[in-house]
Amino acid sequence: MRKKRLNRILSLLLAATLCSVSVIPSFAEENIFYNKEGFTIQKVSHPTRGQGEVDSILTGEDEDRGNSYSWSIVEYGDYIYIGTGYNPIYGIYYRNVVANLKARGVEEEKASEIANKAIDLMYNGAFYQSTDLNAVIMKVNKKTYEAEVVYRNEDPKIKEHGYRMAAEYNGKLYFVTYGFPRSSLLEIDPENNDQVTSVYDEYLKNPAVANGIRGLVALDDKLIVSVTGMIGDKPGIKMLASENPSSKEWTEIANQDTFDDLPACYIRDGINGGGLWDIVEFNGSIYATMVTAKTDENGVTNKRGFAMYRGDEVGDTYKWTQIIGDKSKGAKYSFGLGVDEASAGNIFVYDNHLYIGNYNDPMLDLAEIPDKGNFKPLYNDLYNSINLYRMDTNENIELIGGRPNEEFPVVKGNLGPGLGSPFNQYVWRYGEHNGKLYVGTYDTSTLTNGFTQLTNGDLLKMTPEEFEQEMKYVKEMIGALISVQKTETEVAVEEQNVQKDSEAPKEDVSEDTNSEAKEDGEAQAENASEDVNTEAQLTNENDAEVQDTEANDAEKTKEEELLGDLSEKQVDKIKDIKESDLDKIVDDSDKVMDKIDGKSNKSTYSLRNNERTIVDDFNSLVARYDKISKYLPSCVRQKIEKVIKNEDVENFVYYLGINNYCIHAEKGFDLLVSSDGVNFDAITRNGFNDKFNHGIRVFESTKEGLFIGTANPFYGTQLWKLNEDGEIVEPEEPEDKEDTYSVTIKYQINGKTDIKVPEDTVVEGLKAGEAYDLTDQYIAVKESLVKAGCTVEEEPVCKGNIAKENVQLNAVFKAPAKQVKPSKPAKKSIIKKIVNKIKSIISCIKKWL
């Protein structure tokens, strides 16, 4: 069975990824702007680089595509400081595929190769493949947009994934790290050359437990931070506070028991053990949200929404009250505000209200597809996409936008499910600028389309060059799969042959994989494409099987024999079944089959219309059957349930539901704005014309404009700036940076002193390395120093006739530093490389065929 399972996994990897999105870069000759009436948004990092070109904000040697998320941001002086997240999505995909293959008996080296080939194939090579961790904290000048690295971990024993929250407190900046085996709270002193100090460390003590620092909020009199890890001898969270973080003295104000053991802390839990998620101050209290979905040791997940507590300061401690969570324990609202898929809640204060946005967990549900072929969790995420709520000072919550439910039957604002798109899976971050509320989302369509590209129309949109490129990845993937087959023992091969002879039609996917491993490249690609068609025929074939079987039964038995295993009461109930119930089942069956056959009207399933899908019809069919099934003979139930209770059929129906969403997807994050906090306009629904921008992770409001940092797991994070009413603040020309050389000049009034200019110094009027005689009076000396490009930091005291008095002058020589000019894409050379690569691929394909 393990062999059969492996074949199924490998065939799913190949079939689900055969066709991919276009990743040919869109080169821009001029600076990139995204225009919306009333707003101008300009790209300030690598401003001429468009979709499919590397960004990451930094330039020169520091430019690193792996810095794919602007994870945190804070303003100080002329700069905004940004903490990045390093290549997190590739890491999730890679580790999950490798773990799943290893669990099926594939060696680690081969599993790693297959994982990388599968990711290449799924996304046409767009993912940056690296398991290194080189996250940074950078600062960007708000006027010139020049960026420089402030901090990068240099300890090879510590792996820092990134810096996901930031805050300013008492003139210093604080960034929380997510690392292994240590996570830290870093303090940056911007008035002391950006000196970095760790003021709190948490070390990993159990590899099964999440380790990290996440929540962070600065109050007037203290800094509060949340920590997940081993608390004593058990996993849990704790909340710490300090009036002076530099002292490294912290007071615990809450822990796992405080929150009724609700926070999920194991890596296997929701959002990889998200624990204590977000913290804000509102109406004189602290509000904290937490992830509560937990997975047991058998791998069974209790999908449950987030909880939220209020903390009120009482003396030296806090009193905590559950607001969202377990109603039996006093919570006013149920977990996730009635939505189980809402794994976390992101919170923000605007206009004297606390805004609460759903945060689903599609990353782990996406991993269910290559692991188990299970499309249901991802479909449920899309169906129950994000909601946005707000809470007043009396803790009354109302649904502002999203899908109504039993707890919140009315939507107050103008946006429906998903705030306009089922692919919006996080209300990721909020911003306030010039009195308006901004909401940035995470859009999962670009990632999800990797699993449905055979049937969602992307194949038809590919250019010949893109198709040739994709075939290269197909060949590499098939080669990796073939090598796995060759490493199997003869016993396993014999077992496979036995399985081939005995498998039912639902196992045809495995047979397709085995045949693919033996045929030439083109045939292999075609067979992989037919996997979905094989699944698409499954329901029809099973229907035919049921009809044939029932016909044979009818020939062999009489009605009395058919009902022979029923009691008189059951027979009476069958006779009481309304003909209309049976007609509805038949009608639902016809609807499902029409949609599988492509006969349905596509407009019925418009992305924005919130109407019925094939999944609704299928579930309606099953529900109607369940109402009458107990009155049917067991032999009839077995035949029917072989179709409608078949796991493969159900998964394929959910696949088609996801595929329908993907057909109408508009890829890229949404940016929404509201003047009243209730009704929103969409500034963009396509990631500023870049489908690889799948999220907005940070906002920072400044007098120069609203800075926006993106999450782009393909080509690196980008930095944009929004201004209202079309007003653009032009960047200033970079000033020459200066290296400083301090020299003490000993000058004697009416005497003589020499001054020697330091080497490697360029100062107008002075020559490096040469000594100068200065015999003028003090005033003249001062003037000559100033004229020579020096400044006097400390004036000497010169009163009366003090000809023999020694006087110290501290002169500072300043010289322009070497500038690192922002790198620009070498368009001609890059295009030439692409053309040559395409030619090489075509040549390779010809030889292969």
Side-chain angles (χ1 to χ4, degrees):
M1 291 303 292
R2 188 179 73 176
K3 178 66 177 179
K4 183 194 301 184
R5 182 69 168 166
L6 174 61
N7 287 335
R8 189 171 183 80
I9 295 293
L10 298 181
S11 68
L12 277 168
L13 282 173
L14 184 60
T17 62
L18 233 183
C19 300
S20 185
V21 296
S22 167
V23 294
I24 299 298
S26 55
F27 297 112
E29 295 292 342
E30 300 178 351
N31 288 5
I32 297 172
F33 291 82
Y34 184 90
N35 293 305
K36 171 77 174 178
E37 185 177 357
F39 303 91
T40 298
I41 303 101
Q42 57 178 321
K43 190 170 186 283
V44 299
S45 62
H46 299 284
T48 63
R49 298 190 186 180
Q51 177 178 285
E53 295 185 86
V54 174
D55 197 308
S56 81
I57 302 177
L58 292 164
T59 61
E61 294 181 355
D62 291 323
E63 181 180 307
D64 186 346
R65 178 179 176 182
N67 282 310
S68 52
Y69 280 24
S70 288
W71 229 1
S72 56
I73 192 168
V74 63
E75 179 187 20
Y76 191 91
D78 292 333
Y79 295 90
I80 50 173
Y81 289 70
I82 298 173
T84 68
Y86 200 87
N87 211 17
I89 304 303
Y90 167 77
I92 291 173
Y93 275 16
Y94 173 82
R95 287 189 295 271
N96 281 337
V97 174
V98 169
N100 292 335
L101 290 174
K102 286 173 63 178
R104 307 300 188 264
V106 179
E107 293 181 357
E108 183 168 0
E109 183 177 352
K110 181 54 61 178
S112 175
E113 179 188 356
I114 293 174
N116 283 323
K117 300 298 183 187
I119 293 171
D120 266 344
L121 181 58
M122 187 177 299
Y123 299 106
N124 208 323
F127 257 121
Y128 175 59
Q129 295 189 357
S130 173
T131 55
D132 294 335
L133 295 173
N134 296 307
V136 300
I137 299 173
M138 69 179 83
K139 67 179 182 180
V140 180
N141 189 292
K142 295 181 297 181
K143 296 180 180 180
T144 68
Y145 311 139
E146 290 185 299
E148 59 183 289
V149 174
V150 172
Y151 171 80
R152 179 188 285 115
N153 171 54
E154 302 292 348
D155 186 344
K157 297 180 181 179
I158 303 298
K159 305 296 182 183
E160 292 186 349
H161 297 261
Y163 315 95
R164 55 187 170 196
M165 295 293 281
E168 187 270 332
Y169 176 70
N170 284 351
K172 294 182 180 179
L173 311 180
Y174 294 88
F175 286 81
V176 300
T177 76
Y178 170 45
F180 175 87
R182 182 194 70 200
S183 292
S184 303
L185 177 62
L186 302 179
E187 178 186 85
I188 297 177
D189 187 351
E191 298 295 334
N192 187 20
N193 296 319
D194 293 323
Q195 181 177 335
V196 181
T197 306
S198 176
V199 295
Y200 181 84
D201 296 318
E202 181 72 24
Y203 283 89
L204 180 69
K205 299 167 185 165
N206 183 340
V209 177
N211 184 56
I213 302 175
R214 183 182 294 274
L216 181 69
V217 62
L219 309 184
D220 290 339
D221 61 344
K222 62 176 68 70
L223 188 70
I224 296 178
V225 64
S226 68
V227 179
T228 303
M230 290 298 294
I231 312 301
D233 59 352
K234 64 178 183 178
I237 63 92
K238 57 186 174 184
M239 189 183 292
L240 307 174
S242 178
E243 296 179 0
N244 179 19
S246 301
S247 68
K248 302 183 180 182
E249 296 178 356
W250 296 88
T251 301
E252 183 178 296
I253 60 174
N255 55 38
Q256 187 77 8
D257 294 334
T258 304
F259 302 121
D260 303 300
D261 197 30
L262 287 178
C265 300
Y266 283 98
I267 291 176
R268 64 177 183 251
D269 291 338
I271 319 184
N272 295 119
L276 197 57
W277 187 259
D278 209 0
I279 313 170
V280 301
E281 182 183 23
F282 172 63
N283 195 33
S285 301
I286 298 172
Y287 288 83
T289 60
M290 58 206 65
V291 178
T292 71
K294 297 183 180 181
T295 302
D296 64 24
E297 295 179 355
N298 298 318
V300 177
T301 300
N302 175 23
K303 195 84 169 178
R304 186 170 65 180
F306 65 90
M308 184 174 78
Y309 284 69
R310 182 190 71 242
D312 297 301
E313 193 168 11
V314 180
D316 295 332
T317 186
Y318 280 81
K319 177 184 177 182
W320 295 92
T321 303
Q322 190 175 163
I323 307 299
I324 300 173
D326 189 344
K327 286 188 173 182
S328 69
K329 294 186 178 180
K332 187 174 182 179
Y333 302 96
S334 59
F335 288 104
L337 295 173
V339 182
D340 288 338
E341 284 74 19
S343 297
N346 283 330
I347 47 183
F348 184 77
V349 177
Y350 170 76
D351 192 26
N352 206 30
H353 285 81
L354 180 66
Y355 281 75
I356 307 168
N358 288 9
Y359 183 112
N360 291 358
D361 193 9
M363 295 304 174
L364 295 184
D365 293 336
L366 281 166
E368 284 277 295
I369 296 173
D371 183 20
K372 302 174 183 177
N374 184 6
F375 290 88
K376 184 175 181 179
L378 180 60
Y379 175 85
N380 287 338
D381 285 329
L382 299 180
Y383 182 82
N384 294 295
S385 48
I386 58 174
N387 291 345
L388 179 64
Y389 309 82
R390 72 175 184 180
M391 184 180 79
D392 64 21
T393 55
N394 294 317
E395 295 181 340
N396 298 309
I397 298 177
E398 55 189 349
L399 178 61
I400 296 300
R403 183 184 296 278
N405 56 45
E406 292 183 4
E407 196 155 358
F408 296 92
V410 177
V411 178
K412 184 170 184 176
N414 64 329
L415 294 181
L419 306 185
S421 169
F423 290 100
N424 282 331
Q425 290 293 295
Y426 309 162
V427 174
W428 212 344
R429 281 292 129 185
Y430 313 79
E432 181 178 358
H433 184 64
N434 290 344
K436 293 184 174 68
L437 175 64
Y438 291 82
V439 173
T441 73
Y442 156 67
D443 180 292
T444 193
S445 59
T446 299
L447 293 179
T448 300
N449 271 40
F451 294 100
T452 64
Q453 290 162 11
L454 285 174
T455 52
N456 66 18
D458 277 358
L459 175 62
L460 301 177
K461 301 174 186 176
M462 295 178 72
T463 66
E465 291 81 11
E466 292 165 352
F467 187 78
E468 294 283 0
Q469 172 116 348
E470 188 66 3
M471 290 308 298
K472 170 180 176 287
Y473 293 124
V474 172
K475 178 183 176 183
E476 292 176 351
M477 182 67 181
I478 291 173
L481 297 181
I482 290 175
S483 66
V484 170
Q485 297 286 350
K486 289 180 178 178
T487 61
E488 296 294 334
T489 63
E490 293 182 1
V491 174
V493 173
E494 292 176 2
E495 177 187 350
Q496 178 183 358
N497 291 333
V498 171
Q499 291 172 355
K500 278 186 178 181
D501 294 335
S502 61
E503 283 174 0
K506 68 177 182 178
E507 298 298 336
D508 284 348
V509 177
S510 297
E511 295 176 15
D512 287 344
T513 304
N514 297 331
S515 64
E516 289 166 2
K518 299 175 182 178
E519 297 179 5
D520 63 83
E522 183 176 39
Q524 291 162 347
E526 292 173 354
N527 285 344
S529 301
E530 290 169 0
D531 279 350
V532 172
N533 294 332
T534 299
E535 293 278 14
Q537 297 166 2
L538 183 57
T539 303
N540 285 330
E541 291 172 359
N542 282 330
D543 265 349
E545 180 184 350
V546 171
Q547 292 168 4
D548 291 343
T549 302
E550 290 178 343
N552 292 335
D553 287 345
E555 292 175 1
K556 294 178 181 180
T557 66
K558 298 179 180 180
E559 184 182 53
E560 291 80 7
E561 293 173 341
L562 180 63
L563 304 178
D565 63 340
L566 301 177
S567 65
E568 289 185 13
K569 185 176 181 180
Q570 286 177 310
V571 173
D572 291 338
K573 287 290 185 181
I574 290 177
K575 292 178 180 179
D576 290 338
I577 294 175
K578 295 181 181 179
E579 186 175 350
S580 60
D581 288 336
L582 298 176
D583 288 340
K584 288 177 181 178
I585 293 177
V586 173
D587 183 55
D588 287 337
S589 300
D590 289 340
K591 289 180 181 178
V592 172
M593 293 313 304
D594 281 345
K595 286 161 190 172
I596 290 177
D597 291 338
K599 297 178 182 178
S600 61
N601 182 0
K602 289 183 179 179
S603 65
T604 304
Y605 301 97
S606 171
L607 179 66
R608 313 287 180 188
N609 286 345
N610 184 27
E611 296 183 2
R612 291 177 64 83
T613 69
I614 185 175
V615 174
D616 296 319
D617 291 331
F618 179 79
N619 288 336
S620 176
L621 167 65
V622 174
R624 292 183 188 279
Y625 167 75
D626 286 341
K627 286 175 63 176
I628 66 171
S629 62
K630 59 184 177 181
Y631 307 121
L632 298 177
S634 60
C635 60
V636 174
R637 289 200 305 270
Q638 290 173 6
K639 297 299 184 290
I640 295 177
E641 291 176 6
K642 189 174 182 181
V643 178
I644 68 173
K645 296 298 181 73
N646 182 295
E647 181 180 347
D648 287 337
V649 172
E650 182 184 46
N651 280 335
F652 185 60
V653 167
Y654 279 102
Y655 166 85
L656 291 178
I658 294 171
N659 179 73
N660 179 73
Y661 282 131
C662 288
I663 288 172
H664 302 281
E666 190 170 10
K667 299 170 186 173
F669 61 71
D670 290 6
L671 174 60
L672 310 173
V673 62
S674 176
S675 298
D676 61 7
V678 175
N679 299 295
F680 288 81
D681 294 320
I683 293 177
T684 181
R685 289 195 182 275
N686 64 6
F688 295 148
N689 292 328
D690 189 337
K691 63 187 174 186
F692 298 116
N693 274 335
H694 78 180
I696 290 181
R697 185 56 176 81
V698 295
F699 292 99
E700 187 67 24
S701 177
T702 72
K703 65 180 182 180
E704 288 77 17
L706 178 66
F707 284 91
I708 300 168
T710 76
N712 187 321
F714 298 92
Y715 294 98
T717 183
Q718 302 171 3
L719 187 63
W720 295 69
K721 182 165 71 72
L722 177 149
N723 292 98
E724 295 184 18
D725 300 323
E727 180 181 350
I728 303 173
V729 179
E730 293 292 343
E732 297 179 355
E733 289 297 324
E735 296 180 359
D736 287 339
K737 295 182 180 179
E738 297 177 324
D739 291 337
T740 299
Y741 305 86
S742 295
V743 183
T744 297
I745 304 169
K746 190 173 184 181
Y747 174 68
Q748 189 176 42
I749 301 263
N750 294 328
K752 181 179 179 181
T753 260
D754 290 340
I755 169 175
K756 188 172 183 179
V757 182
E759 295 287 352
D760 301 323
T761 304
V762 180
V763 179
E764 184 179 356
L766 298 178
K767 186 175 180 180
E770 193 165 310
Y772 287 81
D773 292 339
L774 300 176
T775 57
D776 298 332
Q777 294 292 328
Y778 165 67
I779 297 299
V781 172
K782 181 178 180 182
E783 289 176 351
S784 66
L785 287 173
V786 172
K787 288 179 180 179
C790 304
T791 60
V792 178
E793 290 186 339
E794 183 178 342
E795 284 194 14
V797 178
C798 298
K799 292 183 180 180
N801 184 10
I802 48 174
K804 295 183 180 181
E805 186 90 18
N806 286 338
V807 178
Q808 298 283 341
L809 297 182
N810 293 320
V812 180
F813 292 84
K814 293 184 177 180
K818 296 180 181 179
Q819 293 293 299
V820 179
K821 298 295 183 182
S823 58
K824 295 184 178 180
K827 300 177 179 60
K828 292 184 179 179
S829 63
I830 292 177
I831 293 174
K832 186 175 180 180
K833 287 180 181 179
I834 292 175
V835 172
N836 290 336
K837 188 173 183 181
I838 290 173
K839 289 180 179 178
S840 174
I841 292 169
I842 293 173
S843 175
C844 182
I845 295 292
K846 288 180 179 178
K847 292 179 181 179
W848 177 37
L849 295 175

